[in-house]
Amino acid sequence: MTVWDDLVGQEKVSGQLEAAARDADALVTAVGAGTPLPEASKMTHAWLFTGPPGSGRSTTARAFAAALQCTSPDRALGGIPGCGFCDGCHTSLIGTHADVQVIRTDLLSIGVKETRDLVRRAQLSPAVGRWQVIVMEDADRLTEGAGNVLLKAVEEPAPRTVWLLCAPSLEDVLPTIRSRCRHLTLRTPPVAAVADVLVRRDGIEPDIAAAVARATQGHIGRARRLATDERARARRAAVLKLPLRVDDVGACLRSAQELIDAASEDAKQVAEETDVKETEDMKAALGAAQGGRMPRGTAGVMKELEDRQKRRKTRTQRDSLDLALIDLTAFYRDVLALQFGTDLALSNTEMQDTLDRLARGSSPEATLRRIEAIGACREALDRNVAPLLAVEAMTMALRAG
């Protein structure tokens, strides 16, 4: 299986990247032989992958990184780089290649300090591979200062360094950066393609794979999680009961609090899994005795770790809450589809009776207002409005219609 098989429903993008990988291979070969580089090349030093959540931006970037490091002998016979089996491909995909750096953040933003470290690395020549590849999965989370630091590296790249940036949309990246990148837009994968990949790669039962692919509207990661995580299915079922419960002010406020509590529980669960081990590892690295006091001069390091853990918990809570709001939007989209009598496939077919009842009991205009209220809540959370206030305003709007 080649690395390009990971790009579900992205045939056009796959073709473009395959051509670029061929040219990249030719460029490295030409440099090694001392011959001039080709004038016209589909390869460039900076790429920007955009697309909706679940489209596979980071997967695409990692697949391209693996193809750039491919050492398969089939290349000499006309094969496309990215075999998926050679040492270059394998280590790139599992994250152990010395010349492929994957940057993802579990915090709300990527700061100047981290970006400067990346820029310094980008100036190095490849250690063992064919290219120095830096994959930034959350380029939309760069602060303005960090973006300006990155700009310098993208403007004046090292000869064998490639930047692969991922973001939801062009508008999420500084204009000065995106103007220096080759832009590829990914689409939401078809539901059938997502279901097929869940069956082939994850061994999910076909009926379950089709149901979760439909429920998540083609989001591969969420579909896999729903298919394999019982708690995720239970949380989603609880969220989809909310439209039936907002029949008075008290119920609206209770529902809002329950959404916030569920998101907080998710954040607490992640913290329990990572924070304790992270703290113990840091203490051991700083030389603290088992159960003893920390050495002098280490309080600042521990405080920095605590702050990082707190920011990570905040992001986890917001991400969990945003996921619930996406599920609510899909629910009301199904209601709207029934009200207009379209033949659009429903995401929540298991709730057909509930959808029919709500569709008959309200107007399309009211459903649209409810969808807009959910969107307004997501925007408010993005602007750091207190989560409980934002969700309470939304549930009141859902009740009013």
Side-chain angles (χ1 to χ4, degrees):
M1 186 175 71
T2 70
V3 298
W4 309 113
D5 292 334
D6 290 334
L7 278 61
V8 180
Q10 310 293 344
E11 291 77 12
K12 181 179 179 181
V13 170
S14 295
Q16 292 174 295
L17 292 179
E18 287 175 8
R22 283 184 185 275
D23 281 0
D25 183 58
L27 291 178
V28 174
T29 304
V31 170
T35 55
L37 299 179
E39 291 185 4
S41 173
K42 296 180 176 63
M43 182 58 187
T44 188
H45 70 284
W47 297 76
L48 175 58
F49 301 97
T50 65
S55 57
R57 299 185 301 263
S58 58
T59 300
T60 301
R62 287 196 297 269
F64 187 37
L68 293 177
Q69 305 291 10
C70 182
T71 57
S72 169
D74 293 342
R75 294 174 296 111
L77 304 175
I80 300 172
C83 65
F85 297 102
C86 70
D87 185 65
C89 287
H90 178 67
T91 54
S92 296
L93 292 175
I94 66 174
T96 60
H97 197 291
D99 295 315
V100 177
Q101 179 81 4
V102 179
I103 307 302
R104 63 175 68 87
T105 183
D106 49 14
L107 306 180
L108 295 174
S109 62
I110 300 175
V112 172
K113 180 182 177 182
E114 302 98 306
T115 309
R116 281 181 178 153
D117 291 340
L118 280 181
V119 170
R120 280 193 289 269
R121 178 186 175 110
Q123 300 305 312
L124 302 176
S125 298
V128 297
R130 301 163 67 79
W131 297 87
Q132 178 80 252
V133 184
I134 300 177
V135 179
M136 183 172 287
E137 295 187 355
D138 301 296
D140 54 308
R141 294 187 181 271
L142 286 165
T143 64
E144 185 176 354
N148 291 329
V149 171
L150 178 62
L151 174 61
K152 186 68 173 177
V154 175
E155 280 182 326
E156 301 175 4
R160 298 272 289 278
T161 295
V162 181
W163 289 88
L164 307 180
L165 311 180
C166 306
S169 69
L170 278 175
E171 290 69 26
D172 292 311
V173 181
L174 286 176
T176 48
I177 292 179
R178 67 185 188 229
S179 65
R180 289 162 174 80
C181 298
R182 184 164 299 169
H183 177 219
L184 293 181
T185 303
L186 283 72
R187 63 169 183 156
T188 299
V191 169
V194 173
D196 178 65
V197 80
L198 290 177
V199 172
R200 286 190 294 107
R201 295 185 199 168
D202 301 290
I204 307 299
E205 291 295 326
D207 291 345
I208 296 176
V212 297
R214 187 171 55 249
T216 57
Q217 303 171 72
H219 192 303
I220 301 172
R222 288 180 56 210
R224 182 178 290 113
R225 186 182 181 194
L226 271 184
T228 58
D229 188 342
E230 180 64 36
R231 289 177 301 183
R233 291 195 293 272
R235 283 194 293 269
R236 181 175 182 274
V239 167
L240 295 183
K241 291 178 181 177
L242 187 144
L244 299 177
R245 300 172 54 196
V246 289
D247 48 3
D248 59 53
V249 174
C252 290
L253 300 181
R254 284 193 300 273
S255 297
Q257 185 64 62
E258 288 171 7
L259 273 182
I260 298 298
D261 290 345
S264 299
E265 185 62 31
D266 276 351
K268 181 180 177 182
Q269 181 181 340
V270 171
E272 289 175 348
E273 294 172 354
T274 60
D275 288 5
V276 174
K277 183 178 185 303
E278 201 173 56
T279 301
E280 291 303 321
D281 289 346
M282 179 63 75
K283 288 181 177 179
L286 294 174
Q290 186 71 25
R293 297 179 60 183
M294 296 292 297
R296 288 186 177 182
T298 60
V301 178
M302 295 305 298
K303 180 65 167 60
E304 183 178 344
L305 176 62
E306 291 171 6
D307 290 343
R308 176 183 173 84
Q309 291 173 342
K310 184 177 179 181
R311 293 196 301 271
R312 179 170 61 202
K313 185 176 180 180
T314 300
R315 177 177 172 181
T316 303
Q317 181 178 356
R318 290 188 184 180
D319 287 350
S320 177
L321 191 54
D322 191 62
L323 186 58
L325 298 180
I326 290 172
D327 287 333
L328 272 179
T329 303
F331 179 91
Y332 282 111
R333 165 190 167 276
D334 287 349
V335 173
L336 191 63
L338 291 174
Q339 289 172 330
F340 280 121
T342 69
D343 56 359
L344 189 68
L346 301 181
S347 300
N348 301 283
T349 52
E350 73 279 5
M351 303 184 69
Q352 184 76 48
D353 292 342
T354 301
L355 293 170
D356 286 335
R357 187 162 74 254
L358 288 178
R360 291 192 302 268
S362 65
S363 66
E365 292 81 6
T367 303
L368 280 172
R369 286 193 293 271
R370 290 180 171 114
I371 292 174
E372 289 172 354
I374 299 171
C377 180
R378 296 182 69 190
E379 290 179 7
L381 292 171
D382 222 22
R383 295 195 300 268
N384 292 321
V385 173
L388 183 58
L389 291 178
V391 177
E392 285 178 346
M394 180 197 73
T395 54
M396 294 295 288
L398 294 181
R399 174 177 177 267

